Amino acid sequence: MLHEGLVAQLLADTVTAAFLVGDDSEHNRVYPLVMPQKIPRGPSQTPCVVYQTRSVDRQVTYCGTSGLIRTMLQLDCYSSTYTEAKQLADAVRTSLIDFRGSLGGVVSVRHAALESEFDLQDPEPGLYRVSQNWVFWHEED
């Protein structure tokens, strides 16, 4: 459910949606694990956000699990230009930093924090990437 809430939040935010919603408004560019390969004459694959779970820790108390989960997500912001990759990463950070409440109307988040951010270049496809590591404290689905 956290992933669904993340996608909904990024697409509901007007700044991030400007980067991530395709021309037909049916196609969005938020992908789990990997970016799909480009289809000739198909819709653009970038700019985009690719997300993956890095870890999930359930809080244990003396009476059992508390229902509170600490999930670390990696969000990679890709673009064909460095400037646009940085702009997208800034928009994602602004949308999610210190978030508390119902993420995308799907999952109750107690706190979202950006732990690290760094720049990468993928030379083979000619893409720039800003990688962010996020920690979300949220309630069990």
Side-chain angles (χ1 to χ4, degrees), residues 49-107:
V49 172
V50 176
Y51 62 89
Q52 62 180 304
T53 302
R54 304 300 292 173
S55 67
V56 176
D57 299 311
R58 285 173 173 75
Q59 300 303 299
V60 179
T61 65
Y62 290 111
C63 301
T65 56
S66 70
L68 187 61
I69 300 173
R70 179 185 186 271
T71 300
M72 180 176 277
L73 295 179
Q74 180 176 322
L75 305 180
D76 293 319
C77 301
Y78 286 93
S79 183
S80 58
T81 69
Y82 178 71
T83 300
E84 189 173 51
K86 292 297 279 186
Q87 290 170 341
L88 175 56
D90 288 344
V92 169
R93 184 178 59 253
T94 300
S95 178
L96 297 175
I97 196 80
D98 293 328
F99 184 90
R100 288 176 175 82
S102 181
L103 187 66
V106 176
V107 63

Side-chain angles (χ1 to χ4, degrees), residues 18-20 29 31 44-49 78-80 84-85 88:
F19 288 99
L20 301 173
R29 294 183 297 265
Y31 308 113
S44 175
Q45 303 299 324
T46 63
C48 70
V49 172
Y78 286 93
S79 183
S80 58
E84 189 173 51
L88 175 56

Side-chain angles (χ1 to χ4, degrees), residues 1-13 16-17 20 28-32 49 51 73 75 96 103-104 106:
M1 290 288 249
L2 181 62
H3 299 104
E4 293 171 11
L6 172 71
V7 172
Q9 177 70 24
L10 293 176
L11 296 177
D13 182 280
T16 55
L20 301 173
N28 74 70
R29 294 183 297 265
V30 183
Y31 308 113
V49 172
Y51 62 89
L73 295 179
L75 305 180
L96 297 175
L103 187 66
V106 176

